[in-house]
Structure formats: C-alpha cells, structure tokens
Amino acid sequence: MIAVEALSMDGADGALWGTETEDLNATLVRWTDGSGVGTHQNDEVDVIMVVIGGEGEITVDGQSTTLCVGSIVVLPKGCHRSIHASQGELTYVNIHKRRRGLMPNMVRPPVGGTSA
C-alpha cells in the first residue's frame, strides 16, 4: 500500500505526486488560477480523472465542462483535451493503465492577471 500527504504543498503547480504499479499509473495534479494543461492528445490509454479540490474547466474535443470536487471524467484515448483551474486551485488525480510518460504543454497565466 502507498499513502501520500501531498496536498500540503501549497501553491505548487503541476504534478505533485505520482506512482506506478505493474498495471497502473496514478498522478496527483494541482493548478493555480488560470494555469493548467494546454490542448493535447493522448493516443495510448484511457484516463480517469477525479477532482478532489477546487474548480476548473476541461475541454474535450471542443466541448467544455465545469469541474468541481467530486467530478469524475473518463477521457478516452485519442481525444483532444485541455484543463485549467478557474477558481483558485484545481486538484485532481489521474489514473490509467501503465504506459510511458507524457509531458503535455503546461499553460501559465500571464504575469499580473489570469488567462481568459
């Protein structure tokens, strides 16, 4: 069993924690207001995203949806998606079948304000 208390990392953006087993990958991710992951496509695995803190927005194949605590999103491989925090912070866990790591483009808000 693996336990983590990564939520104490206030103000950090991006992946805060990750682990893998023989079969699964799990990553804890946090974005601050306006930050997030730009549009990208994952052709390798389906991903389950579980929001555990804050609010944000996800756009999947051109359709936007508001995220809040308790939101669960299934992201099929091959879809185009982007994720952004919209109110303070957005914290979520991604879980998927083990595969080689990806490094999507991270989006940071402009200095002195938030992105639209």
Side-chain angles (χ1 to χ4, degrees):
M1 182 173 91
I2 299 170
V4 65
E5 290 189 28
L7 291 177
S8 63
M9 296 181 206
D10 291 333
D13 268 354
L16 300 179
W17 170 87
T19 191
E20 60 184 31
T21 68
E22 185 175 332
D23 296 325
L24 294 174
N25 280 86
T27 308
L28 176 67
V29 182
R30 177 188 290 140
W31 301 111
T32 53
D33 196 14
S35 297
V37 180
T39 301
H40 64 288
Q41 181 176 347
N42 163 17
D43 289 325
E44 294 183 52
V45 293
D46 298 334
V47 176
I48 296 174
M49 175 183 183
V50 181
V51 177
I52 61 171
E55 294 181 15
E57 181 176 272
I58 186 167
T59 302
V60 178
D61 291 334
Q63 292 189 332
S64 295
T65 301
T66 300
L67 299 169
C68 60
V69 174
S71 295
I72 300 173
V73 182
V74 176
L75 301 162
K77 62 184 169 190
C79 70
H80 291 86
R81 61 187 183 243
S82 64
I83 303 163
H84 297 88
S86 60
Q87 298 291 323
E89 295 180 346
L90 172 66
T91 305
Y92 56 92
V93 177
N94 279 343
I95 304 163
H96 53 80
K97 181 179 173 183
R98 187 173 174 198
R99 57 141 167 95
R100 65 179 179 82
L102 294 177
M103 187 57 68
N105 297 325
M106 296 189 292
V107 178
R108 306 273 187 219
V111 175
T114 60
S115 61

